[in-house]
Amino acid sequence: MQTTILDPSLTQALAAAREPGLTLIIGNKNYSSWSMRPWVAMTAFGIPFQEVRVLLDQQDTATKIAEYSACGRVPVLLAGEITIWDSLAICEYLAEQFPDKHMWPQDVAARAMARCICAEMHSGFTGLRTDMSMNIKAKLPGRGRTAAAQADIGRISEIWEECLSRFGHHQFLFGEFSIADAYFAPVVMRFRTYGVSLAPALNAYCERVQAHPAVARWIAEALAETEVAAKHDAELPD
């Protein structure tokens, strides 16, 4: 069972989060691409957790996040006395704790490739992140198309094409839904917001990702949010 706590009393929320089980601290679903990754992975693989949502761009946002982790960012996974404050580390921890879920591809070559593309997503694509930030509610076709963002779009297209042709059998990147698809789900959101044109096979992949129950649920809950984070809604480059 999943429980959402919005801006709870810090003392009470932190005490509850330290109870046995898993608690995922996230930001606004409309904007927080890093939060989306482990949330979608946990939801897709049926891993029960409690959700605590901390609103971004508020005067007390940093203080609230600091109650859970010193890094000052979301997401954060609390597993009893263990704190994991990085999205990829969270996914790796979950894959280790729930080996029967097969969150990574089972084939050795596919698993190596999946880890590589997640690591590349984790450390790269700064042009796309800077100029085409995630905003699920927005419709901004053609915006943010800087040279850096366009180069990132090209590289992501190459990754998807290779994975789908080598391992995906034109379903998800490695056939079955995996951490890799959860990791690129925020990119699918960006392409949708900014009206990015893709090859038919890649458009079809984006549609499959959006239709996945875990992703569809995140989208629905993002669209239902009423809070606005001014910094994340700022004017984007033309």
Side-chain angles (χ1 to χ4, degrees), residues 5-204:
I5 302 174
L6 174 60
D7 287 345
S9 162
L10 294 176
T11 302
Q12 292 178 349
L14 190 57
R18 290 303 184 185
E19 292 297 317
L22 300 173
T23 299
L24 186 67
I25 318 302
I26 64 171
N28 307 54
K29 289 179 178 171
N30 188 49
Y31 308 109
S32 186
S33 58
W34 290 111
S35 297
M36 185 181 186
R37 294 179 169 101
W39 190 100
V40 165
M42 295 176 80
T43 303
F45 286 96
I47 298 171
F49 66 99
Q50 177 177 277
E51 169 192 320
V52 175
R53 189 164 62 102
V54 176
L55 298 181
L56 303 177
D57 295 354
Q58 308 298 310
Q59 289 185 345
D60 59 353
T61 297
T63 300
K64 289 186 174 181
I65 294 174
E67 289 289 323
Y68 302 104
S69 172
C71 77
R73 297 182 179 88
V74 289
V76 180
L77 181 69
L78 305 179
E81 294 302 315
I82 300 172
T83 299
I84 308 162
W85 62 88
D86 174 89
S87 60
L88 190 53
I90 290 170
C91 290
E92 289 284 14
Y93 173 82
L94 295 169
E96 289 178 352
Q97 295 300 306
F98 299 93
D100 58 311
K101 301 288 188 182
H102 303 301
M103 298 178 74
W104 290 114
Q106 295 185 66
D107 176 76
V108 173
R111 188 163 62 251
M113 181 74 167
R115 282 192 161 112
C116 282
I117 66 171
C118 287
E120 185 173 352
M121 180 75 255
H122 195 64
S123 62
F125 303 112
T126 54
L128 188 72
R129 290 202 191 104
T130 301
D131 301 321
M132 300 173 70
S133 61
M134 192 172 89
N135 189 331
I136 293 174
K137 290 184 179 183
K139 296 298 179 186
L140 303 166
R143 298 285 296 278
R145 300 303 178 82
T146 62
Q150 199 64 49
D152 287 346
I153 292 168
R155 174 57 186 152
I156 290 166
S157 296
E158 290 175 357
I159 289 171
W160 287 359
E161 286 169 352
E162 181 176 4
C163 290
L164 289 169
S165 62
R166 285 184 61 191
F167 304 108
H169 310 296
H170 304 290
Q171 294 301 313
F172 294 106
L173 293 176
F174 297 91
E176 299 293 328
F177 193 88
S178 73
I179 288 172
D181 299 291
Y183 233 70
F184 279 87
V187 174
V188 173
M189 298 298 96
R190 286 176 161 98
F191 287 178
R192 163 178 147 158
T193 294
Y194 296 91
V196 175
S197 297
L198 299 168
L202 302 187
N203 272 327

